[in-house]
Amino acid sequence: MVRLNLAHPSEVLPEELTARAIFMGLAIGCLLCFTNLYFGLQTGWISMMSLQSALMGYLLARMIPSVSPFTPQENVILQTTAVATGTMPLAAGFVGIIPALGLLDAKKDGQGPMVLSWPSTIAWSCAIAFFGVFLAAPLRKQVIIKEQLVFPSGTATAQLIAVLHGEQPIDAQKSHMQGQDNEYVAVPTDEAETISHPQTIEDISDSPDGRIEHSWQTLGWSFTLSGCLTLLAYFFPIVFSIPLFGRYLAREWLWSFSPSLSYVGQGIIMGFPTTLSMNMGMIVGWAVLSPIAKHAGWAPGPVSSMSDGARGWILWVALAIMCAESAVSLLPVIAELARMIKLSLANANHDSSSHTSADEETESPERLVPTSWTIAGITASVLGGTVLVWVVFGSEGIKPWATIVSFAIGSVLALLGVRALGETDLNPVSGLGKVAQLAFALLQPGNVIANIIAGGVAEAGAQQAGDLMQDLKTGHILHASPRAQFFGQLIGSALSIVVSATAYSLYVRAYSIPSANFPAPTAYVWLNLARLLRNNSLPPMSGRFMLWFGLGAAMVAAIKVSAVRRGFPWAKWIPSGVAFAIGFLNAPSFSIARLIGGVISEIWYRRVRHQGGGKSPNSILIIIMASGFVLGEGVVSIIGLLLKTAGIGVISCWGCSGGICPTCPA
């Protein structure tokens, strides 16, 4: 078993920190990085894919000859590294903040567009890439060891890894996990929820050679089918823009259907309740509010216009829904945090604790992240990040003192996000980013760039701390070294800075961002809130609808939060405000495809539970198939990007008749 020499030779390296775990994690993570950037720019929805990373890593390890078996602890390090690498497009704002800066308008914002060069995106990414990693280390003992918060996605991943490696399936806290149905991250609020039906993940290690071969075949054909369909759609765009409801509705109101297998795969992983919420939002936004706004003259421009069209008008309503749900979701977390602080102070005053920290800790000191590393890392991240932000944006963009304040705000919001994630499996980091934007409306009023950057810093810290905490929960259950996971997170984040920046630069060269192909909807969410705080102006009548829908979303969110915290199984059927708002942001074609995936997922799992009580070996094949669908389009999109850069484009516009396809010049 080869160990990476990542520390001083006198340091004891964790046994699971192996070269194969790191390199396989980086390879899988790079694929996820390109995939997440592609889907994030299209729809504002990305995936952590920690469970899928562990699954693909296990399959890959079984195919590579080795003198020693691939252990569950190595798999934990692999998926930690892969998640850190794959989610940088969100953490560094490549799917939201950076495109938003390019949309600045001198008349509306007081500053013209700010288009970052490749070196500038590298510097910006370095500024915020590591703060959340160092922030998560000291939180582990409190939320995982002492309070033993659930972290359902982390527990579900641990369960899968245990089963893959032939160990006893993990049943702890299963009741808390039921009712959550996805592991995707919606960029506007970046919810991370549990993988579908973890109770169906049972023993698939029987006859491992045949099962591994069958798994590879499933992954192979699903990947190939999705990739071929994506390549076909590149040359014949009508393939992904079928006018299912008629050419007029497709051309004028964007009601088309995209039979993209990747979005079907996303729907499978999200689960039926989430995709149902998304399609409810699609119907309200695109079939009700959009025509009302258009015909009433509130949105006189083309429906597809983000500035004066119905699509831009309903975006404001979506923003109100997301902010309302995020605020309500955080209230019980704040109350619980206050209670824990009060209890800790009382215990300290009476000195009545029955266990010391050493007694509570399950790992030896050499397997933990030293406090000195944490202090030095946070200090270096804040000071170095402040300098880099000043180099990229200058004092006119955001003052150095304001950047330091944004890191401080981000640390507090990250604590709230981690607690919310541990209790409910929801990490509303973009909602937390909006809190930072509100704060900076007072600290640097009228400065749109400072407002967006401050929100980005807060979002990055909360997202990375939450990602690592889910991974640390997985590692805690499977007895993996927290120090090894810490190294994996740092290595994955460092590589992903270059990968994400390079991939984004290629997209900017080949396409206009935002554009019809890549509308980057969350860029408008960031920018619109910053403009609202600066100009105090809204499109006609949108404020009234924002108030109504915001109040409704708050009431529904309060019911859902209460039901989830009490463990009611029907809580998953209460609509998710975030998914509902995503239905507003995305064109109907994407939501319909995801609903198909959600229906397939629901039928599949009901059939599995009926036939085998959850113990059928086929129960995991749908996860493999969905992963192949998602990765197939994401990876082949790189080929499309290269073709576009080389000037090789559409072969035929047959079937379009003008204005239906996103790439149509008509």
Side-chain angles (χ1 to χ4, degrees), residues 575-639:
S576 163
V578 175
F580 189 84
I582 289 291
F584 284 53
L585 297 180
N586 293 166
S589 58
F590 300 120
S591 298
I592 296 171
R594 285 167 172 158
L595 180 61
I596 293 173
V599 171
I600 292 173
S601 173
E602 187 71 14
I603 294 174
W604 181 283
Y605 282 116
R606 287 190 179 186
R607 179 171 172 267
V608 166
R609 288 196 297 268
H610 176 72
Q611 291 183 348
K615 300 181 181 297
S616 170
N618 292 325
S619 61
I620 203 170
L621 290 182
I622 194 170
I623 301 175
I624 299 174
M625 181 182 70
S627 301
F629 285 160
V630 173
L631 291 174
E633 181 168 337
V635 172
V636 173
S637 68
I638 303 173
I639 299 176

Side-chain angles (χ1 to χ4, degrees), residues 392-587:
V392 174
F393 299 103
S395 296
E396 294 183 359
I398 182 170
K399 304 291 185 183
W401 65 265
T403 304
I404 295 176
V405 172
S406 69
F407 276 110
I409 293 174
S411 63
V412 176
L413 297 179
L415 175 61
L416 297 177
V418 165
R419 291 196 61 87
L421 189 64
E423 294 177 4
T424 68
D425 216 28
L426 306 177
N427 189 2
V429 295
S430 190
L432 297 173
K434 303 302 177 285
V435 174
Q437 285 188 274
L438 293 172
F440 267 75
L442 301 175
L443 294 174
Q444 279 197 270
N447 192 325
V448 174
I449 292 180
N451 191 279
I452 293 174
I453 294 171
V457 170
E459 181 185 68
Q463 184 248 319
Q464 286 187 305
D467 286 352
L468 185 54
M469 205 59 64
Q470 290 277 27
D471 296 334
L472 287 171
K473 180 67 175 184
T474 303
H476 175 68
I477 294 173
L478 296 174
H479 306 293
S481 164
R483 183 182 295 191
Q485 292 183 266
F486 173 76
F487 281 137
Q489 184 89 358
L490 290 178
I491 294 169
S493 297
L495 177 65
S496 192
I497 289 173
V498 179
V499 175
S500 299
T502 302
Y504 183 77
S505 296
L506 291 175
Y507 274 105
V508 170
R509 290 182 184 180
Y511 301 92
S512 295
I513 304 293
S515 64
N517 282 314
F518 298 100
T522 53
Y524 291 95
V525 174
W526 284 100
L527 183 58
N528 280 7
L529 180 57
R531 284 176 173 172
L532 174 62
L533 296 173
R534 179 181 187 271
N535 303 321
N536 298 316
S537 62
L538 291 168
M541 289 298 294
S542 61
R544 184 172 299 179
F545 281 84
M546 289 174 68
L547 178 61
W548 292 342
F549 276 85
L551 290 175
M555 289 188 290
V556 173
I559 297 172
K560 187 176 182 69
V561 168
S562 177
V564 169
R565 293 173 70 88
R566 296 181 182 183
F568 294 137
W570 45 264
K572 68 178 181 179
W573 297 109
I574 301 175
S576 163
V578 175
F580 189 84
I582 289 291
F584 284 53
L585 297 180
N586 293 166

